[in-house]
Amino acid sequence: MTEATKTKQTASLLQQIYKNVKSASDSILNLMPRVKDEKLKSDMTVQLSAYEAFASRAAKLLGEEGVTPEEDGAFGKLSAKWSAMMDTLRDSSTCRIAELMVKGANENAMDLQRELREAENGNASESALRLARDVCRFEEKNAEDMKEYLR
């Protein structure tokens, strides 16, 4: 495989990681004003910090590949904010917010696992694969940890 193909596969995986973790960060920021439970708020703050660290790692690796991370546009961010508002309009209980967090983490993990399998069969860089695995494990742990609030 050529170096250009490896760079393209690596950049594609890293862009997906970046989009997923930025989307998760935005989701937390959109839900946070509705959280009343202090423990849940604390757990979400820790998750937010970790997502931002993952985004930073992905952006750094993308930079090493000579690629600029792609951000969601204003419409995408507004859509996410609207979705969070609608999802919690009638029920903003701790349980409901935890359900949304579990659903988001599971979806992100599945999307990233699919991307990871494709990248492992291709020729993405080991650093991109390692980051993808780290994010997948983190998402799976988040989904499991948030289940504590489903009562």
Side-chain angles (χ1 to χ4, degrees):
M1 223 170 247
T2 68
E3 192 63 32
T5 303
K6 181 177 181 177
T7 297
K8 184 178 178 180
Q9 288 178 337
T10 298
S12 175
L13 177 60
L14 291 170
Q15 286 287 17
Q16 188 64 41
I17 293 168
Y18 187 81
K19 282 178 61 178
N20 278 13
V21 296
K22 290 302 278 184
S23 173
S25 291
D26 289 345
S27 178
I28 289 174
L29 290 171
N30 291 332
L31 291 171
M32 193 72 79
R34 292 164 173 74
V35 178
K36 294 169 186 73
D37 184 291
E38 288 303 316
K39 185 174 181 326
L40 176 59
K41 189 176 281 194
S42 175
D43 288 348
M44 289 172 69
T45 302
V46 169
Q47 287 180 16
L48 178 62
S49 177
Y51 282 126
E52 290 300 323
F54 283 129
S56 179
R57 282 176 62 190
K60 181 179 182 271
L61 291 172
L62 279 166
E64 291 172 5
E65 297 295 326
V67 178
T68 303
E70 294 175 9
E71 295 280 341
D72 265 349
F75 181 74
K77 289 185 183 223
L78 184 60
S79 175
K81 190 175 234 47
W82 178 260
S83 178
M85 185 184 77
M86 294 305 293
D87 286 341
T88 58
L89 188 62
R90 291 185 183 201
D91 181 5
S92 62
S93 66
T94 297
C95 182
R96 176 64 179 148
I97 290 172
E99 285 174 2
L100 294 171
M101 296 291 293
V102 168
K103 180 182 175 193
N106 282 331
E107 287 174 358
N108 285 345
M110 287 189 310
D111 288 346
L112 199 49
Q113 285 170 350
R114 187 173 39 255
E115 293 286 329
L116 180 58
R117 278 192 299 275
E118 289 177 25
E120 287 173 333
N121 291 331
N123 198 22
S125 74
E126 187 54 42
S127 57
L129 293 172
R130 188 173 29 258
L131 178 58
R133 290 182 194 112
D134 289 348
V135 173
C136 281
R137 278 191 297 276
F138 180 73
E139 291 287 20
E140 290 166 350
K141 182 182 180 317
N142 283 346
E144 198 57 39
D145 290 350
M146 283 289 122
K147 289 178 183 176
E148 158 189 350
Y149 298 99
L150 302 178
R151 28 185 159 158

